[in-house]
Amino acid sequence: MRRLPSWFTLLGVCILFACGNVFSQGQANNWYFGYGAGLNFSTGSPRPLTDGSLYTLEGCASISSENGNLLFYTDGITVYRADHSIMPNGNGLLGDPSSTQSAIIISQPDTPGIYYIFTVDTVTQEGEVNEGINYSVVDFNQDPQGIVIRKNVNLLAYGAEKLSAVIKSCTDNSVWIVMLSSSNGNLGLLDTFYAYELSQNGLQTTPVRSAAGFSVGDPRGNLKFSPDGTKLACANNGEGLYLADFNSLTGRVSNSRRLVIDGFNYAAYGIEFSPNNRYLYCHSSNNENPSEPPQSHFSSLIQYDTQATDISASQVLLDQQNLFRGSLQLAPDGKIYRTLSRGYQDGSSYLGVIDAPNEAGTAAIYRDRAIFLETGVSHQGLPPFNQSLFNELDIIQNDISSRQLPLCDGDTYTLQYQPVMGASYSWYRNDNELRNATDFRLTIRQPAGVTLPYTETYKFVLDLNDGSCEKVGIAEVTYYPYQRAVPNVRLVQCEDSETADGLSIFNLDQARDQLTDGLEGFDVTYHYTQSDATNDLNPIDPFGYENTSPTEVLWARIFSPAGCATVNSFTLEVSSTQASSASIEQCDLGDTGFAEFDLSLADDQVLGTSSGTLDVNYYLSERGALLEDEDELLPDLYSNIQAYEQEIFARVENNNACFAISPVNLRVLARPQFSLPQSQFYCATNFPALQTFSPDYSELDPSQNYSYEWMPEGQTTPELSTNLTGEHTLRVTNLATGCFREESFLIEEKELATIDNIEVTDATENNIAIISFSGNGEYELALDDPLGPYQEDGTFEGLQPGFHTVYIRSKEGCGIVEQEFSIIGFPKFFTPNGDGYHDYWNVKGISDLVQPGTSVRVFNRFGKLLKELDPTSSGWDGTFGGENLPADDYWFRILLEDGREFKSHFTLKR
């Protein structure tokens, strides 16, 4: 019997919290954390979960039912149901995945179906607002899958990134939720603990405040209660690790003292207590900048003895290596788990484990990379829980598990705890009280007539008879049978094609189902001799075993979790049956050399004419097929990993015996390569004439034959002749492989430009014409000469009076449109000498079509009307009454048909 711990003799002044019927360890059975990582503790040993929806670097929280069934989980922002969908109203909680402990979930005492989520925010970049500490409420009564009915009720405007909880009282099962903030609850130095009481009446929003005994600015790091609620540890990253006392009746924190961390890894982040409340564990780091590469980060795992006179001096280094900071968390199996991130965003597929945290120093047994998370990745965070969930007595006391006890058929075992003066004891089996069992120990044995394996649960209740809470211990006892002998166990392997000598390689675990005869929970080791198997000596590595003769006998040791072992012989045989090779071809739809293959299409080729009940599975390599390596087992729909051509292997089995191994060739066939022009056009003016379009076929393999199909025309010629516009698609098919490629291009209809308007500014020193036009093509303009020069701008300046023609030409070659326009102007002189040049004076730009109603009058300098001209005539010849007038300046008055009037003068030169 173990020596009674010294702390237990002080139970008269300590408060022990059990309440196992209300707060069960089953609530901590499911963990979700990191990037898609999770663990399930329902069977004692953790089983990886890979179905979670969390993607968080730090904060996370989970909760399960008392029976260990997942209820919901969160990263502090989004709440996920047990089916991993988002809970109604479960978005937008005010936690933060970058907060160390962004959330903790507490069931409301004595209120079935109601859960409180407490969240704490943080700031990760400049400009963000810290939303402080809030709570939300989840109800399973309104919706059996859970619904958030209250959200983001504020408690404190600012808080450190840490939350912890412990039971206050067994009489009403109230819970304290404790957090660290400033003295006024606003942004500032962290120097005050706030304890909020959650009871069956709801949350008491007036907290109990306690001076922390320190003042820090760094909000990072864990906050943890000891399972019995008497101690509170606070990690403040680079600003120290503190241990305080906690009075669960009043909610007050006192006697804070700083614990020294030896070495360079001084920054405390992850902390946890042992189940017996004695030892404190700390995961500390060198506090290097998170942006630094993984090789810059180092961390330590340290144990402190809280019963030592000098707690700091009691520290024992359990591990030190190149790791980033990380959390610690006690689990239902009584072990403490550690995250193993290499950097802030560089996680790990493993967790470390402290196997025996109740033991001093290195006897605590730390195992690095002990738990493989499969596809999950852990970062810095693990889900926190109400620490009272882990406050159970160890009544098994076998240094293996404090809850699960496997026994063999016919075994007896004594469950026990230390005797305590003045205490009374009671025992329950499957919730039924054993009236005559009143000692601190109980001898148990397998009930008669039960079918094995058989499980029953024992509960031990310790009552100090001093008005304090009862203390509870649980033992889940499973009796296992001894496996009966199974005759004629054969493991048939296929011939190794490289040797063809009756020898091959085996995965001995393929005989496990035959050897265990379907019994669950049994394990198997393999041995050369019956003696080795009986005495558990010289086990054989089952994976890749090479037989020494075509027929070889080995021995198996079959044992249960309780160690109930039997031995059984089995025979290795080699089949030399040959299967047919196969080939599957797939067109290279992505032009990458890779494609998805339906491997079942090779079944008929592999089986050939073979008959019987044959199963075919496909593996990455021949060795993988021989060993049935699950890591190399290929799915029915498989994408090749070697470009264009890859060999895989089919394993044919007959009633789980290897029948044959066959190579299967996967070929990715190139599609015809050609190109079409990006876009083409068809001139509307050419309709209905056909236009021919020619693809670029220079990359087609001239040794192959191809078919051509144009859509929508349905033409089957290499070139397309059409007058249809819109999208056109060409399919070119390799007639030998059936692989085809489709490419499309657009034929746009192009039309002549439409001249919408010609805006003229005339009768000025700088006559201007602005041409407005429209159309669906690209155009250029020229003035007075269809040969150009052409310009893209529609503005022409410095125009001479008279008539001009604008030409608008399609750049696509669809033709030219033209239009004449007039510039009104007045010559400044004329020379009526009969030489054919400037012999007449008249207004320019007038015609029978352009303002023919214009009035033109000519006066001498004295205002005498000399001539009223027809604006469409050749003009005034410089005479009056048949006589030539002398050289001089003469005046005109013009009233245009559009209402404009001009007055000026011009010169008659002789």
Side-chain angles (χ1 to χ4, degrees), residues 587-596 639-645 668-671 673 741:
C587 296
D588 191 1
L589 300 181
D591 298 327
T592 60
F594 300 94
E596 185 177 74
S639 295
N640 58 308
I641 58 175
Q642 297 175 9
Y644 297 106
E645 191 161 1
V668 180
L669 304 175
R671 298 185 298 156
Q673 190 68 39
R741 181 186 301 278

Side-chain angles (χ1 to χ4, degrees), residues 581-617:
S581 61
S583 177
I584 312 177
E585 296 177 341
Q586 187 64 270
C587 296
D588 191 1
L589 300 181
D591 298 327
T592 60
F594 300 94
E596 185 177 74
F597 293 84
D598 182 353
L599 300 184
S600 66
L601 297 177
D603 288 358
D604 290 344
Q605 298 179 60
V606 169
L607 295 175
T609 58
S610 300
S611 59
T613 304
L614 301 176
D615 297 314
V616 183
N617 289 297

Side-chain angles (χ1 to χ4, degrees), residues 427-445:
W427 291 89
Y428 297 80
R429 182 176 61 208
N430 297 332
D431 292 329
N432 296 312
E433 185 174 3
L434 304 176
R435 297 290 182 183
N436 296 323
T438 58
D439 194 13
F440 64 92
R441 56 189 153 204
L442 176 71
T443 299
I444 62 173
R445 57 185 53 83

Side-chain angles (χ1 to χ4, degrees), residues 522-537:
F522 278 71
D523 207 348
V524 181
T525 56
Y526 307 93
H527 306 264
Y528 290 104
T529 67
Q530 182 177 9
S531 175
D532 282 353
T534 301
N535 297 298
D536 196 15
L537 299 174

Side-chain angles (χ1 to χ4, degrees), residues 638-701:
Y638 170 69
S639 295
N640 58 308
I641 58 175
Q642 297 175 9
Y644 297 106
E645 191 161 1
Q646 179 181 347
E647 186 177 59
I648 62 172
F649 291 84
R651 178 186 176 95
V652 183
E653 289 190 343
N654 185 359
N655 294 324
N656 203 37
C658 189
F659 181 76
I661 303 291
S662 172
V664 178
N665 190 41
L666 307 179
R667 294 184 60 212
V668 180
L669 304 175
R671 298 185 298 156
Q673 190 68 39
F674 64 92
S675 61
L676 295 174
Q678 291 293 321
S679 62
Q680 292 287 293
F681 59 87
Y682 179 85
C683 295
T685 54
N686 293 341
F687 190 81
L690 300 179
Q691 187 171 331
T692 299
F693 301 89
S694 300
D696 179 2
Y697 292 123
S698 61
E699 294 188 59
L700 285 182
D701 184 349

